Amino acid sequence: MARECVQCGKTIVDGGKFCSVCGARVSAAEDGFQATNEGTQAYSPFTGIEGRALRVLTGSRAGEFVSVYPSVTIGRNRANFNVHDDETLSPVHARVFCMNDICYLDDLESHNGVLIRIAEKTILHDRDVIRAGQTFFRFEHLMTEMFSDDEGTSFYATPMRGERFRLVELLDDGYRGRAKTASEIGLTVGRKEGNFMFEQDTQMNPRHFTIRWTQRGGVLTDHASMNGTFVSLQDTVELHPGDQFFLGCTLFGVL
């Protein structure tokens, strides 16, 4: 039975995690999130096309298709498919390959890593990079034992005890921008709502994502945002229709 997007009403591709037209997460209604996309600018108009390939969604090669059978490497200048003007790409950045009609994505030890759009609550690793809109963050797990000596005396430090993680804005050339620390209560990031706001980022939703601390560590939840939230790829991952991932600053969609 065909499924329809709860946000725009278009038909969802079988197995898709996101609407290929508006980008809404298929499970958004089940999770109880209501997307608030007011004033949010989409990453790309190149959506809604079906096929057995990748489609480049942003950058100088936007709109082009990339065949992934049996495999393809993607990079800046030494890969099968090159995006020469994306300086954030490594020469050979990542590989997509197919086995038994299933496609997989590999990071080939690239400098900036691969960021993949999350479809559900995601456990974060220390120093994971997160992208929301045009803004990049680094998630840092705070070890409270680092702030005391052998006799239990606390050093002068920020944050104080009880704060579990830090979210740091990443700027050009690796500089650190604003930072927020949080306890178990967590923090919410958005353009207009939350306790860490980025009013100038028009590709970020008014309320974009939340990170809360649990027994398993930091858990990130995307609030059915238009452009999604992207997190560092840790291992080889299986790709499905509707998945999206950033290599450098170039966004790819799985068709």
Side-chain angles (χ1 to χ4, degrees):
M1 180 178 179
R3 294 175 298 165
E4 293 185 353
C5 175
V6 297
Q7 182 167 304
C8 70
K10 300 298 184 181
T11 300
I12 301 296
V13 176
D14 288 343
K17 299 177 182 178
F18 306 96
C19 175
S20 60
V21 177
C22 72
R25 187 153 54 96
V26 170
S27 60
E30 300 171 6
D31 291 344
F33 294 125
Q34 179 64 42
T36 305
N37 295 324
E38 180 182 357
T40 306
Q41 179 183 350
Y43 278 137
S44 170
F46 294 104
T47 55
I49 306 296
E50 298 181 12
R52 294 171 59 83
L54 304 178
R55 187 172 175 93
V56 187
L57 300 177
T58 64
S60 61
R61 302 195 67 170
E64 294 187 36
F65 293 95
V66 185
S67 175
V68 297
Y69 293 90
S71 68
V72 62
T73 56
I74 303 171
R76 190 177 71 252
N77 53 26
R78 299 178 190 169
N80 303 133
F81 184 87
N82 296 299
V83 185
H84 296 286
D85 58 352
D86 187 346
E87 297 181 352
T88 59
L89 280 171
S90 293
V92 182
H93 197 106
R95 176 179 66 134
V96 178
F97 63 98
C98 300
M99 295 178 59
N100 300 322
D101 293 327
I102 300 175
C103 290
Y104 299 89
L105 173 63
D106 252 342
D107 180 6
L108 299 180
E109 299 183 356
S110 62
H111 180 74
N112 287 311
V114 175
L115 301 181
I116 189 160
R117 183 171 179 169
I118 66 170
E120 52 194 26
K121 294 180 180 180
T122 298
I123 299 175
L124 297 172
H125 301 80
D126 185 35
R127 302 187 68 79
D128 266 353
V129 174
I130 301 165
R131 175 170 180 159
Q134 295 177 309
T135 308
F136 293 86
F137 305 89
R138 176 175 287 125
F139 172 82
E140 298 179 351
H141 179 195
L142 299 176
M143 305 295 291
T144 55
E145 58 267 26
M146 295 174 58
F147 299 115
S148 61
D149 63 14
D150 293 338
E151 296 181 346
T153 303
S154 294
F155 295 112
Y156 287 125
T158 301
M160 298 298 289
R161 284 177 176 271
E163 295 184 320
R164 296 293 188 173
F165 66 90
R166 179 192 295 117
L167 194 62
V168 182
E169 179 188 11
L170 298 180
L171 306 177
D172 290 341
D173 299 321
Y175 290 105
R176 295 163 69 94
R178 293 183 293 160
K180 286 278 188 179
T181 58
S183 62
E184 287 87 348
I185 297 174
L187 60 82
T188 297
V189 175
R191 192 175 74 251
K192 295 182 178 180
E193 302 176 27
N195 43 2
F196 205 5
M197 293 186 290
F198 298 82
E199 297 179 358
Q200 303 304 313
D201 189 341
T202 59
Q203 293 182 341
M204 184 182 292
N205 265 48
R207 185 171 182 264
H208 203 101
F209 71 84
T210 294
I211 301 175
R212 299 195 185 282
W213 189 260
T214 71
Q215 292 182 342
R216 298 179 296 170
V219 176
L220 187 152
T221 302
D222 177 81
H223 294 302
S225 62
M226 174 183 289
N227 290 314
T229 303
F230 295 75
V231 177
S232 297
L233 180 68
Q234 294 293 330
D235 203 351
T236 301
V237 66
E238 181 179 338
L239 294 175
H240 303 90
D243 283 349
Q244 295 178 355
F245 56 89
F246 273 104
L247 305 182
C249 290
T250 305
L251 178 63
F252 294 83
V254 182
L255 303 178

